[in-house]
């Protein structure tokens, strides 16, 4: 075995002590670095977890509000459709009502135009009956093409108002054939009888 001198041994011990002390310092530095690394890793994991939590929360909130807005949109669309249907039915009912009123107004207009015509022009009508009393209850409201006139002391009832004598004579002919033999044609102006016309 080789022989080591004491000085060399002391130097060797010093080198070992230095190496050991350096190793301890390095271990301390490694421990500090490990602590720093763990701290950074923990901070990174916390930041990552917080970021994931925020993203998931945002997505959940977005999908929830989108679901609500879809539900609200769907409900609004359904309400709009129902409102449109209700409005459509209301408009249809109003149109039907306006058509009915228009028909009534047309009848009234025709009545007044006929009355105005009777008052301005000479018209011809077929008298079918005379009464000693005013017996208007024999007529119907549906017969608008009729004349009532008073020729003292009688009230006469005539049907049809015609612009020409020939039209009135044609109606008289049909009435005589139907059994009303005493019917005759008369001319009227302003609701008053002018004269009895020739039967043919």
């Amino acid at each position: 075995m080789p022989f080591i001198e004491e000085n060399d041994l002391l130097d060797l011990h010093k080198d070992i002590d230095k190496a050991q002390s350096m190793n301890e310092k390095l271990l301390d530095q490694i421990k500090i670095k490990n602590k720093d690394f763990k701290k950074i890793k923990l901070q990174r994991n916390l930041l990552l977890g917080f970021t994931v939590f925020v993203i998931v929360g945002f997505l959940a909130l977005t999908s929830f509000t989108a679901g609500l807005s879809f539900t609200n949109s769907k409900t609004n669309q359904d309400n709009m459709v129902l409102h449109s249907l209700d409005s459509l039915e209301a408009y249809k009912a109003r149109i039907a009502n306006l058509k009915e009123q228009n028909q009534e107004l047309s009848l009234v207009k025709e009545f007044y135009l006929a009355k105005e015509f009777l008052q301005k022009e000479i018209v011809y009508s077929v008298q079918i009956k005379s009464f000693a009393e005013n017996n208007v209850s024999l007529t119907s409201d549906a017969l608008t093409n009729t004349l009532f006139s008073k020729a003292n002391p009688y009230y006469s009832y005539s049907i049809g108002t015609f612009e020409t004598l020939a039209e009135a004579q044609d109606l008289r002919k049909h009435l005589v054939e139907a059994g009303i033999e005493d019917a005759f044609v008369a001319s009227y102006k302003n609701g008053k009888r002018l004269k009895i016309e020739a039967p043919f």
Side-chain angles (χ1 to χ4, degrees):
M1 184 159 174
F3 176 76
I4 299 179
E5 288 190 22
E6 197 174 319
N7 284 339
D8 288 335
L9 185 63
L10 275 175
D11 286 338
L12 188 60
H13 274 294
K14 284 181 185 177
D15 287 341
I16 290 174
D17 284 340
K18 274 184 188 177
Q20 193 172 4
S21 137
M22 197 181 277
N23 279 342
E24 286 175 3
K25 284 181 184 178
L26 287 173
L27 281 174
D28 287 343
Q29 285 180 356
I30 289 173
K31 284 180 183 176
I32 291 171
K33 292 289 183 190
N34 276 339
K35 282 183 184 177
D36 288 344
F37 180 72
K38 283 182 181 178
K39 195 186 243 184
I40 290 171
K41 189 175 178 183
L42 181 63
Q43 287 174 350
R44 188 180 55 177
N45 287 342
L46 285 175
L47 183 63
L48 182 64
F50 180 73
T51 305
V52 169
F53 177 75
V54 167
I55 290 172
V56 168
F58 177 74
L59 290 175
L61 183 64
T62 304
S63 63
F64 179 72
T65 55
L68 281 181
S69 67
F70 176 75
T71 304
N72 288 342
S73 173
K74 181 80 170 142
T75 303
N76 288 342
Q77 286 176 350
D78 291 346
N79 288 340
M80 286 174 57
V81 167
L82 290 175
H83 179 70
S84 296
L85 290 175
D86 290 345
S87 297
L88 182 62
E89 291 302 320
Y91 286 128
K92 283 182 180 178
R94 187 160 185 220
I95 288 171
N97 189 20
L98 288 172
K99 282 182 180 177
E100 186 178 317
Q101 288 177 0
N102 191 24
Q103 288 174 347
E104 291 173 3
L105 289 174
S106 293
L107 291 175
V108 170
K109 181 181 174 186
E110 286 176 19
F111 173 75
Y112 281 108
L113 286 175
K115 189 172 181 181
E116 189 177 311
F117 171 74
L118 290 176
Q119 290 174 349
K120 290 183 179 177
E121 302 291 330
I122 295 177
V123 293
Y124 302 93
S125 187
V126 181
Q127 183 175 322
I128 56 170
K129 197 68 175 168
S130 289
F131 301 98
E133 296 178 6
N134 186 5
N135 199 354
V136 181
S137 63
L138 293 174
T139 65
S140 167
D141 290 339
L143 296 174
T144 57
N145 199 9
T146 57
L147 286 174
F148 298 101
S149 63
K150 182 169 186 202
N152 288 335
Y154 296 102
Y155 295 92
S156 64
Y157 176 63
S158 301
I159 60 172
T161 51
F162 302 99
E163 292 183 49
T164 65
L165 178 60
E167 291 173 311
Q169 288 171 335
D170 189 43
L171 176 62
R172 180 201 169 272
K173 179 181 168 192
H174 289 296
L175 290 173
V176 169
E177 289 172 0
I180 307 174
E181 295 177 4
D182 56 346
F184 60 91
V185 177
S187 56
Y188 294 86
K189 185 169 185 175
N190 294 328
K192 294 185 180 183
R193 187 167 73 189
L194 297 176
K195 67 177 186 173
I196 297 174
E197 302 290 337
F200 301 106

